[in-house]
């Protein structure tokens, strides 16, 4: 799947799971998600849904932060055995989630920086910063990302769920890739079997462009209407 479809699936995935996990506890994380956590989670999940493609040198995420993400891409490609290999496994999702959670426990500041970077990646994936006028688009992306991160920070957004959101974002990425013809080696390195190979639609083909992307967009609109307490947010008519 293309970067923007993965990013959209991250937003939809988080929004869709909010009503299911709200008020519950999972692995010691209590889900008490307000509007801030819904927005933050959507963007974190969207960014995380691009992480597995760090193994490819021309993917959206690899292009996001210049030589930093390009170096990271080269490293991950080498560590995990090339494109659509180890970074597309359950082990990788678990690893990313655990690393993020450790980061969150270690330093609240590190989490803010990580969230900022992930939102920047998400915005890039969603289409901000990739236009013809690159410099202007990148500045708008950076400003928007900083604004969102700051707004979430000042509204006291709680990030205790961030490791789970990152792992979930990776899983959504695998689901997206399994829906295309390439398949995903979920059980790497134990098994190289590619789940979903040769079934599904073509990457960036007619179905992805004319069906998947619009459906994901509509899902975001419907879920927003459903999830946010609009009556409390909007002034009374
Ligand atoms: Zn992929």
């Amino acid at each position: 799947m293309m970067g923007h479809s993965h990013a959209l699936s991250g937003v939809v995935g988080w929004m869709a799971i909010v009503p299911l996990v709200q008020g519950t506890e999972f692995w010691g994380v209590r889900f008490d998600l307000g509007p801030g956590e819904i927005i933050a989670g959507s963007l974190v999940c969207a960014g995380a849904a691009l992480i597995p493609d760090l193994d490819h040198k021309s993917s959206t995420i690899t292009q996001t932060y210049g030589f930093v993400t390009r170096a990271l891409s080269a490293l991950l490609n080498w560590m995990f055995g090339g494109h659509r290999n180890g970074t597309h496994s359950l082990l990788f999702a678990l690893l990313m989630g655990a690393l993020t959670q450790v980061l969150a426990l270690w330093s609240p500041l590190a989490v803010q920086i990580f969230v900022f970077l992930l939102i920047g990646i998400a915005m890039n994936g969603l289409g901000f910063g990739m236009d013809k006028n690159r410099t202007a688009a990148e500045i708008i992306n950076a400003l928007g990302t900083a604004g969102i991160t700051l707004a979430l920070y000042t509204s006291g957004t709680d990030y205790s769920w961030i490791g789970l959101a990152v792992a979930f974002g990776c899983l959504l990425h695998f689901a997206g890739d399994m829906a295309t013809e390439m398949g995903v080696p979920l059980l790497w390195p134990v098994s190289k079997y590619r789940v979903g190979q040769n079934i599904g639609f073509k990457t960036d083909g007619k179905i992805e462009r004319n069906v998947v992307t619009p459906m994901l967009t509509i899902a975001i609109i419907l879920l927003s209407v459903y999830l946010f307490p609009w009556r409390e947010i909007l002034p009374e008519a």
Side-chain angles (χ1 to χ4, degrees):
M1 252 179 16
M2 300 291 287
H4 63 259
S5 311
H6 283 304
L8 284 172
S9 81
V11 177
V12 174
W14 184 258
M15 284 182 146
I17 209 165
V18 165
L20 304 177
V21 298
Q22 192 68 286
T24 64
E25 219 179 284
F26 187 73
W27 280 4
V29 176
R30 205 176 152 69
F31 287 99
D32 204 354
L33 309 166
E37 284 81 16
I38 297 174
I39 293 171
S42 303
L43 293 171
V44 163
C45 227
L50 294 170
I51 293 177
D53 277 350
L54 251 182
D55 64 0
H56 195 280
K57 63 180 191 308
S58 54
S59 65
T60 307
I61 183 166
T62 302
Q63 300 299 327
T64 301
Y65 297 118
F67 76 93
V68 179
T69 32
R70 279 203 297 275
L72 198 62
S73 167
L75 179 73
L76 284 179
N77 185 289
W78 172 75
M79 275 174 72
F80 289 94
H83 184 47
R84 273 203 185 173
N85 235 323
T87 60
H88 288 62
S89 66
L90 296 175
L91 176 72
F92 184 80
L94 199 72
L95 213 65
M96 286 300 115
L99 276 174
T100 309
Q101 203 64 24
V102 167
L103 189 78
L105 293 173
W106 171 62
S107 153
L109 176 68
V111 168
Q112 294 297 331
I113 295 169
F114 186 64
V115 166
F116 172 78
L117 294 174
L118 268 186
I119 293 180
I121 290 164
M123 299 274 279
N124 218 342
L126 293 169
F128 298 89
M130 286 301 212
D131 291 323
K132 280 177 197 135
N133 188 346
R134 258 209 92 142
T135 313
E138 272 168 14
I139 291 168
I140 291 168
N141 182 352
L143 286 175
T145 302
I148 293 169
T149 313
L150 218 77
L152 292 169
Y153 173 73
T154 47
S155 68
T157 302
D158 166 53
Y159 286 108
S160 53
W161 41 264
I162 194 164
L164 288 169
V166 166
F168 184 53
C170 291
L171 294 180
L172 290 167
H173 180 102
F174 306 156
D177 274 357
M178 284 193 294
T180 65
E181 292 168 328
M182 292 282 288
V184 177
L186 281 183
L187 297 178
W188 184 96
V190 178
S191 158
K192 296 218 159 107
Y193 177 72
R194 292 179 170 270
V195 184
Q197 189 154 31
N198 297 328
I199 43 171
F201 53 85
K202 264 199 175 61
T203 297
D204 202 28
K206 269 198 185 130
I207 296 179
E208 180 167 350
R209 271 183 278 145
N210 301 340
V211 182
V212 178
T213 309
M215 292 263 280
L216 287 170
T217 311
I218 293 167
I220 291 173
I221 297 168
L222 293 178
L223 284 164
S224 306
V225 171
Y226 173 68
L227 286 177
F228 293 113
W230 293 108
R231 240 177 263 172
E232 291 161 39
I233 297 170
L234 297 172
E236 265 175 58

